[in-house]
């Protein structure tokens, strides 16, 4: 789907500019001229360059209970994409081996294993996997001790933080989530679960409006490595998105979680045990926040919320993210084709078997930051905050897999 150009709050911005012009007319001539030029530019932009003015808004049918959450994927995608290549260096980009406590660091680096955390896109689990890979590689390939880890980062930050990374000594990756699902998850997590806000359409719309500066074209702004990509230049989306995906060694898709992990494993030549994890945050459980345990409320999309999603105004809000999401989905398809679909499917089956085995063995014995009844647990079995919980139990499981006859027969 080729994006439809948005102009969020354009009329209000124009009116504000005119009012400002009238007020500034009492001040110096230089300021007056500058304000006049700005007003002329805004008028020109609205009258001649805004595609909103010249395009009819797309009309979506009223959704039913069985309608998909996002109506934006009916047209075939023909935009930019790429095949993510296998890591071409002889050794894993380990950076400097240090104590595993260094995994908590947030200081910028230009080498090592870099995972960019995208808000409400499985980032706690994926950070845990990043930490596990870093520990395992240091201990297995570099023969470091059991408390060592490669240089790694997993923080919520803009990708420009790593714009100077050494391409032959670093591996940068991330995972995106379907944009509409990400917004609802963010609303329920931060507003409903943490603040006790009622999950109504009105409150969701307020949340969208209050977070427009962060969430409008979120992926374009957060994932851009080389430079700031202007989200309002929709005529440049194809070039922007191509540049964005070219800046990474791998980008995966949350809705294709197992496939994404399998591809990451194959690109880096990792072992199944490197990809194991235990989820510290699941719907209905508790998370530690503000010195207490808060229950994670399940996301429930009401019919009025879905009807709001099926509007051209909401499409204008998420279209940039939808375009990025489609590009990464297509890139994942192309990479799987390059690696061999049968090989990826076999890797997925082995990952699923090992993950079930790990959860059966570890879930009931590991101490998470919050108990099942919402009490704080100290000390717990996590490496850092709620990252890499149960890492010692998973180490034991990883050693067992090497000699587990049933696992070895999984093809």
């Amino acid at each position: 789907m080729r994006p439809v150009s948005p102009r969020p709050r354009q009329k209000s911005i124009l009116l504000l500019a005119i009012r400002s012009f009238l007020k500034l007319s009492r001040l110096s001539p230089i300021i007056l001229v500058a304000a006049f030029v700005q007003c002329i530019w805004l008028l020109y932009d609205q009258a001649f360059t805004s595609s909103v003015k010249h395009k009819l808004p797309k009309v979506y049918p009223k959704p039913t209970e069985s309608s998909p959450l996002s109506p934006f994927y009916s047209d075939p995608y023909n935009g930019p994409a790429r095949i993510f290549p296998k890591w071409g260096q002889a050794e894993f980009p380990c950076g400097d081996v240090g104590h595993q406590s260094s995994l908590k660091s947030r200081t910028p680096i230009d080498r090592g294993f870099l995972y960019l955390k995208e808000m409400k896109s499985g980032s706690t689990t994926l950070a845990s996997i990043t930490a596990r890979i870093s520990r395992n590689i240091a201990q297995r390939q570099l023969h470091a001790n059991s408390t060592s880890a490669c240089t790694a980062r997993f923080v919520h930050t803009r990708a420009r933080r790593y714009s100077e990374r050494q391409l032959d000594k670093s591996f940068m990756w991330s995972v995106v989530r379907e944009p509409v699902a990400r917004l609802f998850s963010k609303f329920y997590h931060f507003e409903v679960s943490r603040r006790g806000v009622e999950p109504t359409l009105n409150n969701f719309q307020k949340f969208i409006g209050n977070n427009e500066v962060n969430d409008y074209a979120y992926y374009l702004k957060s994932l851009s490595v080389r430079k700031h990509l202007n989200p309002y230049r929709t005529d440049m989306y194809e070039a922007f998105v191509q540049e964005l995906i070219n800046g990474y060694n791998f980008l995966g898709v949350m809705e294709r979680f197992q496939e994404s992990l399998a591809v990451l494993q194959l690109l880096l030549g990792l072992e199944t045990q490197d990809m194991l994890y235990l989820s510290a945050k699941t719907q209905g459980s508790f998370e530690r926040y503000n010195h207490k345990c808060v229950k994670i409320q399940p996301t429930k999309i009401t019919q009025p919320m879905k009807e709001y999603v099926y509007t051209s105004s909401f499409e204008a809000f998420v279209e940039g993210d939808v375009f990025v999401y489609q590009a990464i989905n297509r890139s994942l398809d192309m990479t799987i084709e390059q690696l061999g679909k049968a090989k990826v499917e076999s890797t997925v089956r082995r990952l699923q078997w090992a993950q079930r085995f790990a959860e059966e063995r570890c879930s009931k014995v590991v101490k998470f930051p919050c108990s099942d009844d919402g009490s704080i647990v100290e000390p717990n079995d996590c490496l850092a905050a709620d990252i890499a919980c149960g890492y010692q139990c998973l180490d034991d499981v990883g050693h067992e897999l090497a000699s587990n006859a049933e696992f070895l027969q999984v093809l």
Side-chain angles (χ1 to χ4, degrees):
M1 179 188 74
R2 185 63 182 269
V4 179
S5 176
R7 287 291 187 274
R9 301 180 179 176
Q10 186 180 50
K11 292 183 179 179
S12 62
I13 293 173
L14 184 61
L15 291 173
L16 180 61
I18 293 173
R19 292 194 190 104
S20 298
F21 170 74
L22 293 175
K23 290 180 180 179
L24 289 170
S25 63
R26 304 170 185 173
L27 302 178
S28 71
I30 296 177
I31 296 177
L32 179 61
V33 170
F36 178 75
V37 171
Q38 179 67 17
C39 287
I40 293 298
W41 166 249
L42 286 171
L43 286 168
Y44 172 82
D45 182 56
Q46 185 182 41
F48 298 104
T49 65
S50 172
S51 61
V52 169
K53 186 174 182 66
H54 302 292
K55 285 186 179 181
L56 292 175
K58 191 168 184 178
V59 179
Y60 294 100
K62 185 175 181 179
T64 64
E65 188 175 342
S66 60
S67 298
L69 177 60
S70 301
F72 312 125
Y73 305 101
S74 57
D75 297 332
Y77 175 74
N78 298 308
R82 67 170 292 206
I83 296 172
F84 295 108
K86 289 186 176 181
W87 176 246
Q89 306 300 319
E91 296 182 348
F92 180 87
C94 193
D96 301 319
V97 176
H99 191 270
Q100 62 189 18
S101 61
S102 65
L103 293 172
K104 303 175 184 179
S105 176
R106 300 176 60 88
T107 57
I109 53 175
D110 63 357
R111 64 181 67 189
F113 194 42
L114 313 175
Y115 163 62
L116 194 75
K117 295 177 72 173
E118 291 296 88
M119 190 73 70
K120 301 313 298 173
S121 299
S123 59
T124 299
T125 295
L126 294 166
S128 298
I129 293 171
T130 300
R132 178 161 181 78
I133 292 171
S134 301
R135 293 179 65 252
N136 283 10
I137 294 298
Q139 296 165 24
R140 184 172 67 240
Q141 294 187 8
L142 303 179
H143 309 294
N145 60 48
S146 60
T147 60
S148 298
C150 294
T151 300
R153 289 293 183 273
F154 39 84
V155 295
H156 287 295
T157 186
R158 296 287 175 90
R160 292 194 298 277
R161 181 187 185 96
Y162 304 119
S163 61
E164 302 300 323
R165 72 184 180 100
Q166 300 182 52
L167 299 182
D168 61 336
K169 295 181 180 180
S170 64
F171 187 100
M172 189 163 77
W173 69 294
S174 190
V175 170
V176 298
R177 185 176 187 175
E178 197 285 316
V180 181
R182 191 193 74 83
L183 283 172
F184 276 112
S185 178
K186 185 179 178 183
F187 169 67
Y188 269 85
H189 184 81
F190 292 104
E191 298 296 304
V192 179
S193 296
R194 289 188 174 182
R195 298 183 57 207
V197 171
E198 286 294 319
T200 64
L201 172 60
N202 185 52
N203 285 334
F204 178 65
Q205 290 174 319
K206 287 181 180 178
F207 173 76
I208 293 294
N210 292 338
N211 290 275
E212 182 178 317
V213 67
N214 293 317
D215 285 325
Y216 172 66
Y218 171 73
Y219 289 144
L220 281 174
K221 292 182 285 192
S222 67
L223 290 173
S224 172
V225 178
R226 300 298 178 192
K227 61 183 180 182
H228 173 68
L229 302 183
N230 184 349
Y232 298 100
R233 288 295 306 275
T234 56
D235 58 312
M236 295 291 292
Y237 268 12
E238 290 195 5
F240 285 167
V241 173
Q242 188 67 67
E243 179 182 351
L244 186 154
I245 59 179
N246 286 346
Y248 288 79
N249 296 94
F250 176 63
L251 289 165
V253 176
M254 185 64 186
E255 286 75 14
R256 303 171 65 182
F257 189 76
Q258 292 295 337
E259 282 181 293
S260 297
L261 289 188
V263 170
L264 178 65
Q265 178 183 338
L266 293 172
L267 291 181
L268 282 168
L270 302 173
E271 297 181 6
T272 301
Q273 64 148 317
D274 300 332
M275 319 305 290
L276 300 178
Y277 62 91
L278 295 176
S279 296
K281 297 177 182 177
T282 57
Q283 291 188 356
S285 66
F286 292 83
E287 68 155 341
R288 188 166 178 176
Y289 170 70
N290 234 8
H291 308 294
K292 61 182 179 180
C293 289
V294 177
K295 189 167 186 178
I296 302 174
Q297 300 297 328
T299 300
K300 297 179 181 179
I301 312 301
T302 65
Q303 184 64 19
M305 289 177 177
K306 185 180 285 189
E307 290 176 4
Y308 171 57
V309 169
Y310 277 59
T311 61
S312 58
S313 61
F314 190 84
E315 180 191 31
F317 188 79
V318 301
E319 63 177 356
D321 286 343
V322 167
F323 199 51
V324 173
Y325 180 75
Q326 288 177 305
I328 294 174
N329 243 311
R330 180 60 187 137
S331 297
L332 182 58
D333 288 336
M334 293 167 59
T335 304
I336 289 173
E337 292 171 9
Q338 179 74 14
L339 292 170
K341 189 173 181 180
K343 187 173 186 179
V344 173
E345 289 175 346
S346 175
T347 304
V348 168
R349 287 192 290 272
R350 293 171 67 85
L351 284 173
Q352 290 173 332
W353 193 98
Q355 185 61 35
R356 287 194 298 269
F357 183 74
E359 289 174 0
E360 292 171 0
R361 184 64 59 87
C362 298
S363 291
K364 298 300 181 182
V365 298
V366 167
K367 296 178 181 178
F368 293 96
C370 290
S371 66
D372 291 340
D373 63 0
S375 302
I376 292 177
V377 177
E378 291 182 342
N380 56 55
D381 295 330
C382 304
L383 193 60
D386 53 2
I387 303 297
C389 296
Y391 65 96
Q392 293 170 315
C393 184
L394 293 177
D395 287 346
D396 295 337
V397 169
H399 295 317
E400 291 181 41
L401 289 177
S403 58
N404 187 294
E406 189 175 352
F407 169 71
L408 296 175
Q409 291 177 358
V410 177
L411 298 175

